[in-house]
Amino acid sequence: MLDKNSNMIWYACYGSNMDNDRFIKYIQGGELTVNGHEKNYIPCPTDTEPARQSEQYLIDRRFYCAKESTTWNKHGVGFISPRRSSRSRTYARIYLISRAQFSHLFAQENSRQTAQINYENLNEKGFLDFEYSFYNRIIQLEENLNGCPVLTFTNKSILLPNKPLKEYVRLICKGLRLTHNLSDKNIFEYLSKKGTGINKKELFKLLKQLN
């Protein structure tokens, strides 16, 4: 049963945040080496507790990489289609976190200090759009999973694919292994699909290096 008074939500991530070492920095702050550079993360000002729970999750939307991220040398980063599809499956990880933590995370992912999220409107409409360039749509994937809604964010448009940097793909591969226990064969089939923006030859070499 959905607890409408709960302050908790499930955050569904499908990119580099499946790596908990990276995700926790958005919550607790601190320095982390990202793409060969030390990056300083700002902690959530009101709640630095780690995720209360974490599980594997599947999203019925297409995964791909797009945009030009300055963190990743203007290469692409992960998005999902704003439209559902019974033929698509994106491997994800869900973290049980507070609304304050999700709002902080959403702001940081859009290079902003704060973000105002109307959670009542989000629950009524199933999504909320913002005037941001990267992640400008929050989607409610499920209204009730063990008493809390499942939320994620992406772009409201379907973007042109852009090849991600090898180090970024490495984090996703790590997350797929740890969260979903996927074999290298399964990871290759998933990430090398047409339209993801990921180069098959480079992915094959990367998976061999990770063994």
Side-chain angles (χ1 to χ4, degrees):
M1 183 176 183
L2 178 66
D3 183 0
K4 292 186 177 180
N5 295 317
S6 175
N7 188 44
M8 306 301 293
I9 63 96
W10 291 101
Y11 161 54
C13 58
Y14 45 82
S16 59
N17 282 346
M18 283 195 293
D19 178 10
N20 185 66
D21 292 338
R22 175 170 164 78
F23 166 72
I24 196 64
K25 294 298 180 181
Y26 282 105
I27 303 301
Q28 298 183 337
E31 291 188 347
L32 183 70
T33 302
V34 180
N35 189 24
H37 303 282
E38 286 295 320
K39 183 173 181 178
N40 187 52
Y41 290 83
I42 302 171
C44 178
T46 59
D47 186 359
T48 57
E49 287 291 316
R52 285 61 163 178
Q53 195 174 338
S54 175
E55 299 177 8
Q56 62 177 227
Y57 192 75
L58 293 174
I59 303 174
D60 55 353
R61 297 166 191 259
R62 181 175 66 86
F63 170 82
Y64 66 106
C65 293
K67 289 283 189 180
E68 294 182 352
S69 169
T70 54
T71 300
W72 301 102
N73 298 355
K74 294 192 174 181
H75 285 259
V77 290
F79 292 89
I80 57 172
S81 170
R83 297 196 291 262
R84 299 176 64 180
S85 171
S86 59
R87 296 177 297 175
S88 297
R89 178 176 63 179
T90 291
Y91 291 100
R93 181 175 186 173
I94 52 174
Y95 297 98
L96 187 61
I97 61 176
S98 66
R99 287 181 174 182
Q101 290 175 330
F102 181 79
S103 296
H104 177 74
L105 169 68
F106 181 62
Q108 293 295 301
E109 287 280 29
N110 283 292
S111 301
R112 293 171 181 268
Q113 292 297 315
T114 59
Q116 300 299 317
I117 301 173
N118 189 319
Y119 287 94
E120 288 186 6
N121 285 353
L122 176 58
N123 183 60
E124 290 175 4
K125 294 174 59 179
F127 70 93
L128 281 182
D129 287 344
F130 297 77
E131 295 302 317
Y132 302 160
S133 62
F134 262 66
Y135 298 105
N136 54 24
R137 173 169 288 184
I138 299 175
I139 301 172
Q140 182 172 274
L141 298 170
E142 286 190 60
E143 183 180 4
N144 179 11
L145 179 64
N146 298 328
C148 300
V150 181
L151 308 180
T152 193
F153 43 79
T154 187
N155 196 282
K156 57 189 173 186
S157 302
I158 297 177
L159 307 168
L160 291 174
N162 184 26
K163 187 176 78 171
L165 201 64
K166 180 174 69 174
E167 286 73 15
Y168 182 82
V169 179
R170 188 192 304 274
L171 286 176
I172 295 179
C173 290
K174 179 182 176 183
L176 291 171
R177 281 179 168 178
L178 293 176
T179 306
H180 290 271
N181 196 30
L182 295 186
S183 66
D184 286 354
K185 181 176 182 290
N186 293 146
I187 293 174
F188 183 83
E189 290 174 350
Y190 170 62
L191 292 179
S192 64
K193 288 180 180 177
K194 183 179 179 181
T196 61
I198 298 174
N199 183 278
K200 287 186 178 182
K201 289 184 179 180
E202 291 181 4
L203 177 60
F204 183 79
K205 289 181 182 179
L206 176 60
L207 289 170
K208 280 191 169 294
Q209 292 171 2
L210 293 176
N211 290 328

